[in-house]
Amino acid sequence: MTDNTAQIITSYGRRYIVRTADGHTFDATTRKKRVDFACGDCVKITPINEQQAVIEDYLPRESLLYRQDSWKTKLIAANVTQLLIVMAAVPSPSEILLQRALLAAEAGNIRPVILLNKADLPETAFWRERLKFYESLGYPVIEVSALDNADSLRPVLHGHTNIFLGQSGMGKSTLTNALLGSQTARVGDISAALDSGRHTTTHAQLYDLDGETQLIDSPGLQEFGLHHLDASQLLYYFPDFRDLAGQCRFHNCTHRAEPGCAVKAAAEQGSVSESRLRFLQKITDELIS
């Protein structure tokens, strides 16, 4: 980064905190109320004074993780190389959210990892078994207990720009604090003005774990809209269906009643899961409606 570039380390509505290469932070706003910036973006800035700057534009992105429904688009993070989907048996996690986040990672060319937090709870046994299916698709599933062995994640995180994603209550911020250790207080000072008095993460916040590793803690989310995906490319985002791409008789097949559907044939033969076919049908319907 040059003198007039910085990285967004906090994204909070239309306000941002940016940090230059020499570690100086600015409270930053955008021109014309632009909101197409995300935590992790490298941006061009114009300093106004020692504390404030204006974000002019973002630099080319390596990746962009976002969600989109019928009404709005929500940027989650930019330049992420690894998405860690945090689940925990208590409170009850959403498998639909997991599936949608995996699709978003595949579409964004971001490496997905499933983190099963609170592994010491007896209720974890059910999800340990449930997640074996996703392991069979090639997704790493890592068990961790934020309060006991968060450091075991360091080799997994190293060298990546990581993001913790999941519902509220899954332990994302507890994991983040355990990994940061003594840095937590300093980081807390930076965000106190933005997040005073709250106990849950309400904005995306980027931290440095070491010189080569960054971690973004994001607000909890209950839904993950995928309206930005291309229905014609959907099969490529399913590891279990990828080999069937291009084999349906019709290029715009919805994998329901069309003759010559390779995916339905595979489900009938038992080579792919019926529940995954239903999920594919649901997402296809969303994208073409």
Side-chain angles (χ1 to χ4, degrees):
M1 289 187 287
T2 61
D3 290 343
N4 67 336
T5 61
Q7 185 178 30
I8 295 177
I9 61 170
T10 308
S11 171
Y12 192 89
R14 292 196 173 102
R15 287 179 60 195
Y16 304 87
I17 294 175
V18 301
R19 183 181 61 196
T20 62
D22 62 4
H24 190 90
T25 59
F26 292 96
D27 193 344
T29 53
T30 63
R31 295 200 187 279
K32 298 180 181 177
K33 296 186 177 180
R34 280 181 63 180
V35 292
D36 56 334
F37 299 100
C39 190
D41 260 328
C42 294
V43 292
K44 296 178 182 177
I45 61 168
T46 300
I48 300 171
N49 52 43
E50 278 295 300
Q51 287 81 39
Q52 296 173 299
V54 174
I55 298 173
E56 304 289 353
D57 207 350
Y58 55 80
L59 301 176
R61 292 162 166 157
E62 184 172 336
S63 67
L64 180 63
L65 183 66
Y66 64 106
R67 55 195 178 101
Q68 183 177 359
D69 58 27
S70 302
W71 302 279
K72 63 181 179 180
T73 299
K74 176 71 174 176
L75 303 190
I76 299 172
N79 299 313
V80 168
T81 59
Q82 187 164 254
L83 167 63
L84 296 107
I85 304 157
V86 183
M87 304 182 71
V90 179
S92 185
S94 166
E95 192 167 355
I96 288 292
L97 185 67
L98 167 65
Q99 291 184 317
R100 287 173 172 271
L102 290 172
L103 284 191
E106 294 278 4
N109 199 28
I110 299 167
R111 181 178 189 262
V113 174
I114 302 169
L115 278 191
L116 185 55
N117 192 21
K118 309 181 188 180
D120 52 323
L121 296 178
E123 295 91 341
T124 300
F126 172 83
W127 285 98
R128 183 179 292 124
E129 195 64 31
R130 186 88 177 175
L131 293 175
K132 285 181 179 177
F133 170 73
Y134 298 94
E135 281 188 293
S136 76
L137 299 181
Y139 297 120
V141 177
I142 298 171
E143 292 191 24
V144 65
S145 294
L147 299 177
D148 297 327
N149 64 345
D151 280 346
S152 65
L153 286 178
R154 291 188 189 279
V156 179
L157 302 175
H158 184 73
H160 284 282
T161 296
N162 303 275
I163 182 167
F164 284 158
L165 191 82
Q167 299 155 264
S168 297
M170 296 291 107
K172 301 184 305 297
S173 293
T174 307
L175 278 169
T176 300
N177 290 339
L179 288 162
L180 288 171
S182 61
Q183 294 185 59
T184 309
R186 181 177 58 79
V187 169
D189 291 342
I190 293 174
S191 58
L194 296 176
D195 213 15
S196 177
R198 296 189 177 96
H199 296 286
T200 56
T201 303
T202 58
H203 60 272
Q205 177 76 53
L206 181 146
Y207 307 101
D208 294 314
L209 292 185
D210 59 48
E212 301 171 29
T213 310
Q214 294 185 317
L215 173 62
I216 297 174
D217 185 21
S218 64
L221 67 160
Q222 306 304 317
E223 298 179 347
F224 203 121
L226 294 170
H227 281 240
H228 56 291
L229 301 190
D230 181 347
S232 69
Q233 299 297 304
L234 207 47
L235 289 184
Y236 293 103
Y237 307 146
F238 284 76
D240 35 347
F241 297 155
R242 201 169 283 148
D243 291 345
L244 300 172
Q247 293 187 30
C248 294
R249 184 181 302 175
F250 301 104
H251 75 278
N252 59 346
C253 187
T254 64
H255 317 296
R256 285 195 181 274
E258 297 91 340
C261 173
V263 182
K264 282 196 69 176
E268 288 164 4
Q269 294 160 11
S271 55
V272 299
S273 158
E274 285 278 359
S275 65
R276 289 283 279 178
L277 171 59
R278 289 194 294 273
F279 177 59
L280 170 67
Q281 291 168 338
K282 178 177 173 58
I283 300 300
T284 302
D285 288 350
E286 287 180 17
L287 298 185
I288 63 176
S289 60

